[in-house]
Amino acid sequence: MSTLSSSSPLLWSDKRFHTWNTEMKEQFGEKVFKVMLDAGFTCPNRDGTIATGGCTFCSARGSGDFAGRRRDDLVTQFNTIRDRQHQKWPNAKYIGYFQAYTNTYAPVEELREYYEVILEQPGVVGLSIATRPDCLPDDVVDYLAELNERTYLWVEMGLQTVHESTSQLINRAHDTRCYLEAVEKLRKRGIRVCAHIIYGLPQETHEMMLDTGRAVAEMDVQGIKIHLLHLMRKTPMVKQYEAGLLRFLEQDEYIKLIVDTLEFLPPEMIVHRLTGDAPRDLLIGPMWSLKKWEVLNGIDKELRSRDSWQGKYWRGR
């Protein structure tokens, strides 16, 4: 990576943002990919503990539409997904990604069984655990801190938006303060945090979306995932769309939002993702999102045309 300069761009390999691939090669010296798993969890936002119905954008598979089959045990899931991805990357190591639903929403003894069996698989160099900020009791954080001492660990937490009006509209069932408290709790134990946000949520303006990105830039988080909102069939958000509460972002609009965001992110923050995937048969819109590489290439092109890069306007906390 080059040195920050006001006249020349920061580069991570051939990219103008701090990519996950670059970080993995720096950490492990080779390609590392995530193996997406469904351990059979549910969510307190679905089972009535704090709310019912789940987030209005969330699919029936708890945002784990590309994870392994829930009916299969974790080792079978791991081998199936790993072998499928090996067709693209035959020489790689793996991070077990507990993706579907809320993956700390169980007693520690149960979590230990799930996580440890994946760590035992050949070639696994770490874990990534997706969860909610309201599902991190002290004993779970103690165990995560233990894991963090002996493997490469990320905790991925959905923030989605910093606007409480939007959070209520999408039935998020936690506020920004809850999120910040969870980040502080994890960071006190030295655990890496990746913040998930969504651009294109109902009734959010361009500036509201950037407010969320700016808030993440100021947080003590080490990674970010920026998702494009996908409207999927059989989700509660379909009714919001039919009521006129949701407008799909245009492709060029989204690309400019991403580049606007990258410019004010700290350069050390690792960008895990800049768009998202949805199953073609479930997707209502925006349909241009299916052209993932076109979107990613558009982001690269916009960065070059602006002569910009991640952190260009970052001035520190």
Side-chain angles (χ1 to χ4, degrees):
M1 189 184 76
S2 63
T3 304
L4 182 60
S5 167
S6 60
S7 59
S8 60
L10 276 173
L11 295 176
W12 290 263
S13 184
D14 62 341
K15 296 290 187 180
R16 293 179 177 232
F17 58 93
H18 194 161
T19 69
W20 170 257
N21 280 338
T22 297
E23 183 68 17
M24 291 302 94
K25 288 178 181 177
E26 288 181 0
Q27 288 282 342
F28 302 105
E30 58 188 315
K31 174 71 180 179
V32 177
F33 63 74
K34 291 182 180 179
V35 178
M36 298 162 289
L37 304 166
D38 184 339
F41 292 100
T42 184
C43 176
N45 198 14
R46 288 177 179 257
D47 68 8
T49 300
I50 60 171
T52 58
C55 299
T56 62
F57 59 81
C58 195
S59 71
R61 293 205 59 191
S63 296
D65 297 279
F66 297 102
R69 296 184 302 183
R70 174 169 284 221
R71 64 177 177 269
D72 292 339
D73 65 80
L74 282 174
V75 174
T76 299
Q77 288 186 40
F78 179 86
N79 291 336
T80 300
I81 300 295
R82 177 204 60 195
D83 292 349
R84 184 186 307 156
Q85 301 204 148
H86 259 314
Q87 295 173 20
K88 186 174 182 180
W89 300 296
N91 300 306
K93 292 292 193 297
Y94 329 111
I95 287 178
Y97 181 21
F98 287 83
Q99 181 185 38
Y101 293 94
T102 304
N103 291 274
T104 59
Y105 188 44
V108 169
E109 297 75 18
E110 190 174 331
L111 298 179
R112 190 178 293 274
E113 290 180 15
Y114 295 149
Y115 301 163
E116 300 294 342
V117 73
I118 296 301
L119 284 174
E120 292 169 0
Q121 302 310 303
V124 170
V125 295
L127 296 176
S128 198
I129 298 166
T131 192
R132 289 172 56 92
D134 51 8
C135 291
L136 290 166
D138 290 345
D139 59 344
V140 169
V141 174
D142 287 343
Y143 175 47
L144 293 173
E146 175 198 325
L147 283 174
N148 194 50
E149 291 295 320
R150 53 190 174 91
T151 195
Y152 183 76
L153 179 69
W154 282 89
V155 172
E156 302 195 24
M157 286 199 303
L159 171 63
Q160 319 313 357
T161 179
V162 293
H163 300 286
E164 306 307 342
S165 58
T166 310
S167 291
Q168 293 172 15
L169 188 60
I170 65 175
N171 197 38
R172 188 65 192 157
H174 71 71
D175 59 15
T176 304
R177 180 178 178 181
C178 174
Y179 193 88
L180 294 172
E181 290 172 349
V183 169
E184 182 180 11
K185 195 173 187 178
L186 291 166
R187 294 301 299 143
K188 280 183 177 178
R189 309 301 295 273
I191 298 167
R192 299 174 192 86
V193 178
C194 177
H196 288 225
I197 63 176
I198 299 175
Y199 283 169
L201 289 170
Q203 298 191 315
E204 289 210 342
T205 65
H206 181 103
E207 195 59 31
M208 289 174 73
M209 295 177 224
L210 291 182
D211 283 344
T212 295
R214 291 188 190 99
V216 172
E218 296 295 329
M219 293 179 191
D220 182 16
V221 299
Q222 292 62 55
I224 187 170
K225 276 189 179 179
I226 307 176
H227 298 269
L228 167 67
L229 177 73
H230 294 100
L231 180 64
M232 290 187 282
R233 303 182 196 284
K234 300 181 181 180
T235 61
M237 191 170 279
V238 173
K239 291 183 179 179
Q240 295 176 324
Y241 177 63
E242 292 171 345
L245 299 177
L246 174 64
R247 176 188 69 85
F248 293 143
L249 296 177
E250 299 293 337
Q251 182 172 325
D252 186 62
E253 180 184 14
Y254 183 74
I255 287 170
K256 286 181 167 57
L257 271 165
I258 292 296
V259 174
D260 289 346
T261 304
L262 290 173
E263 288 176 336
F264 57 66
L265 291 181
E268 66 271 16
M269 187 176 288
I270 301 158
V271 179
H272 291 231
R273 180 181 284 273
L274 287 178
T275 186
D277 302 294
R280 183 181 292 269
D281 60 334
L282 294 179
L283 184 64
I284 296 173
M287 300 309 294
W288 57 261
S289 66
L290 294 170
K291 301 175 182 179
K292 182 177 178 180
W293 283 107
E294 186 175 302
V295 177
L296 293 174
N297 289 338
I299 292 167
D300 290 338
K301 182 179 179 181
E302 180 70 14
L303 283 164
R304 290 192 302 270
S305 71
R306 296 188 192 186
D307 191 26
S308 196
W309 57 89
Q310 179 179 336
K312 183 175 183 178
Y313 301 125
W314 170 248
R315 295 295 178 260
R317 296 184 181 91

